[in-house]
């Protein structure tokens, strides 16, 4: 069989029962087995045209690298693990993050594993398991706290990772984040400009770094504008919609002068709107809801909601690049990205 070239539109099928291997790809392309292996692993000394050809043939014949063999040869698994909180309230956000990370890894040697954890779980357990078993080459995770034990643990062990969110060790690790401090300032200023003087803020759980940034930004601007800012201490923007609705309805009944709500999530906004409408308020007419969204949905739900977007796709793509970069060169400065809302 004559070797296939990069311009060929078709790749011959394998004989029935033949398993696709590196030797198969080498035979079909006319390349040496080591060259095929290095092309699949995106080695910098292999020509781009050769990589395209090898990947094309590999995809067509259904070649899947033997993970055990890869690990023996390279010491790597070619796996990146995305560790995510599994609470249903944040799944729309998480689904975009997963899709973005996976999409950015297409065409690379790396595969994505999803490792969930739940609210009452030890956050260290999945991270410690991955590191101790060597089941991934890097970890990506979110919902960071300022003194996050996962971050200090991974830094101490020199294990590649990237976080969706910052920490007190920002300079030492890769991260992508949304500027929630600016979000809080914009929200408080926009509501003050609309005449709101008694604002309720439904923030994320205060142990998380982004919640602290958001609250600090809103407090700063509320003080500058002379606006009263209060908080829903017993619930957070991660609480279920029914809890949000019940709590805010009770607070509105106790203090009818509340004329605006800042929400740290879409689900919180749904609950705030339902509570306000139960009390007879019209959203956007004397009573405002300001919220952050990862999907352009809130204005379809109620046109009066003031919504500002967070580009989770941007964060996911960047985190995949950052994690791969840490694997390639752990000594290089970590990649970092901050999305600033406007």
């Amino acid at each position: 069989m004559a070797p296939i070239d990069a311009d060929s539109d078709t790749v011959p099928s394998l004989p029935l029962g033949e398993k696709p291997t590196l030797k198969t790809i080498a035979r079909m392309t006319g390349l040496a087995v080591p060259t095929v292996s290095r092309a699949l692993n995106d080695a910098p000394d292999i020509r781009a045209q050769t990589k395209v050809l090898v990947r094309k043939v590999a995809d067509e014949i259904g070649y899947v690298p033997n993970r055990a063999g890869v690990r023996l040869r390279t010491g790597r698994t070619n796996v990146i693990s995305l560790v995510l909180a599994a609470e249903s309230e944040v799944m729309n956000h998480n689904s975009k993050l997963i899709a973005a990370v996976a999409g950015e890894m297409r065409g690379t040697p790396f595969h994505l594993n999803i490792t969930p954890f739940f609210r009452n779980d030890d956050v260290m357990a999945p991270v410690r398991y991955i590191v101790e078993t060597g089941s991934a080459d890097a970890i990506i995770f979110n919902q960071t706290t300022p003194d996050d034990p996962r971050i200090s643990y991974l830094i101490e062990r020199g294990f590649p990772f990237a976080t969706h969110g910052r920490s007190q060790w920002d300079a030492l690790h890769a991260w992508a984040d949304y500027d929630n401090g600016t979000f809080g300032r914009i929200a408080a200023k926009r509501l003050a400009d609309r005449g709101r003087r008694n604002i309720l803020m439904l923030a994320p759980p205060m142990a998380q770094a982004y919640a602290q940034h958001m609250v600090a930004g809103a407090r700063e601007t509320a003080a500058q504008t002379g606006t009263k800012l209060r908080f829903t201490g017993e619930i957070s923007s991660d609480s279920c919609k029914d809890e949000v609705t019940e709590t805010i309805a009770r607070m509105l009944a106790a203090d009818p002068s509340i004329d605006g709500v800042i929400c740290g999530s879409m689900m919180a906004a749904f609950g705030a709107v339902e509570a306000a409408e139960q009390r007879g308020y019209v959203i956007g007419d004397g009573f405002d809801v300001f919220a952050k969204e990862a999907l352009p949905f809130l204005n379809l739900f109620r046109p009066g909601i003031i919504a500002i977007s967070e580009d989770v796709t941007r964060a996911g793509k960047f985190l995949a690049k950052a994690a791969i970069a840490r694997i390639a060169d752990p000594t290089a400065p970590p990649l970092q990205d901050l999305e600033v809302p406007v």
Side-chain angles (χ1 to χ4, degrees):
M1 180 178 67
I4 300 165
D5 60 47
D7 297 324
S8 176
D9 293 329
T10 59
V11 175
S13 299
L14 291 180
L16 186 65
E18 181 177 341
K19 183 179 179 180
T21 66
L22 291 176
K23 289 183 179 179
T24 310
I25 301 172
R27 185 182 74 240
M28 297 176 76
T29 59
L31 300 168
V33 171
T35 302
V36 170
S37 177
R38 291 179 62 75
L40 288 172
N41 283 285
D42 200 27
D45 59 335
I46 302 296
R47 291 188 308 159
Q49 186 178 20
T50 300
K51 293 177 184 179
V52 170
L53 171 62
V54 170
R55 176 54 61 188
K56 176 180 179 180
V57 173
D59 289 345
E60 287 291 331
I61 67 174
Y63 170 76
V64 177
N66 182 295
R67 294 280 177 82
V70 169
R71 189 164 182 175
L72 284 172
R73 291 194 307 273
T74 68
R76 292 180 179 173
T77 62
N78 282 355
V79 171
I80 293 175
S81 187
L82 180 58
V83 179
L84 292 174
E87 281 78 5
S88 60
E89 287 81 2
V90 296
M91 285 311 292
N92 282 335
H93 187 282
N94 280 356
S95 64
K96 287 182 71 72
L97 190 66
I98 292 167
V101 172
E104 190 63 29
M105 288 169 54
R106 290 185 67 183
T108 76
F110 295 96
H111 303 268
L112 180 65
N113 279 353
I114 309 298
T115 304
F117 70 92
F118 296 86
R119 188 180 298 274
N120 295 323
D121 288 352
D122 174 9
V123 295
M124 286 300 302
V127 171
R128 194 180 290 115
Y129 174 83
I130 293 166
V131 173
E132 292 178 355
T133 61
S135 52
D137 297 327
I139 300 173
I140 298 171
F141 59 92
N142 64 354
Q143 296 191 353
T144 59
T145 61
D147 57 349
D148 201 303
R150 298 170 295 181
I151 294 175
S152 60
Y153 172 83
L154 292 167
I155 290 174
E156 287 172 4
R157 281 153 185 78
F159 194 90
F161 72 100
T163 62
H164 192 197
R166 287 168 284 171
S167 74
Q168 66 181 6
W169 303 288
D170 284 351
L172 301 179
H173 65 91
W175 52 263
D177 202 4
Y178 180 85
D179 190 345
N180 284 282
T182 295
F183 167 82
R185 287 187 287 272
I186 291 173
K189 181 67 164 56
R190 289 280 295 276
L191 294 186
D193 288 347
R194 289 175 62 82
R196 307 299 160 243
R197 290 294 175 263
N198 189 359
I199 299 171
L200 184 64
M201 187 169 196
L202 188 54
M206 287 305 296
Q208 295 175 24
Y210 83 105
Q212 296 178 27
H213 297 155
M214 187 184 296
V215 168
R219 276 182 168 152
E220 175 188 319
T221 300
Q224 293 170 351
T225 58
T227 305
K228 182 178 180 181
L229 182 67
R230 56 193 299 187
F231 299 88
T232 56
E234 59 192 277
I235 60 170
S236 75
S237 60
D238 283 1
S239 300
C240 72
K241 184 184 72 67
D242 290 345
E243 287 180 317
V244 171
T245 300
E246 179 183 349
T247 300
I248 293 184
R250 187 169 64 249
M251 295 182 76
L252 292 176
D255 185 358
S257 70
I258 295 172
D259 52 10
V261 183
I262 299 172
C263 300
S265 71
M266 289 178 62
M267 192 60 64
F270 295 149
V273 168
E274 184 175 354
E277 291 180 344
Q278 285 179 4
R279 301 297 305 169
Y281 295 104
V282 177
I283 307 302
D285 183 10
F287 188 97
D288 284 315
V289 172
F290 191 105
K292 181 173 64 168
E293 61 181 357
L295 300 169
F297 182 79
L298 289 175
N299 286 137
L300 299 176
F301 173 62
R302 292 291 186 277
I305 296 175
I306 307 170
I308 192 167
S309 65
E310 176 180 3
D311 191 346
V312 178
T313 297
R314 163 179 164 164
K317 288 182 176 181
F318 188 88
L319 288 168
K321 290 179 183 176
I324 292 171
R326 296 305 283 169
I327 295 169
D329 186 359
T331 64
L335 300 181
Q336 300 170 343
D337 179 64
L338 183 65
E339 179 191 355
V340 181
V342 294

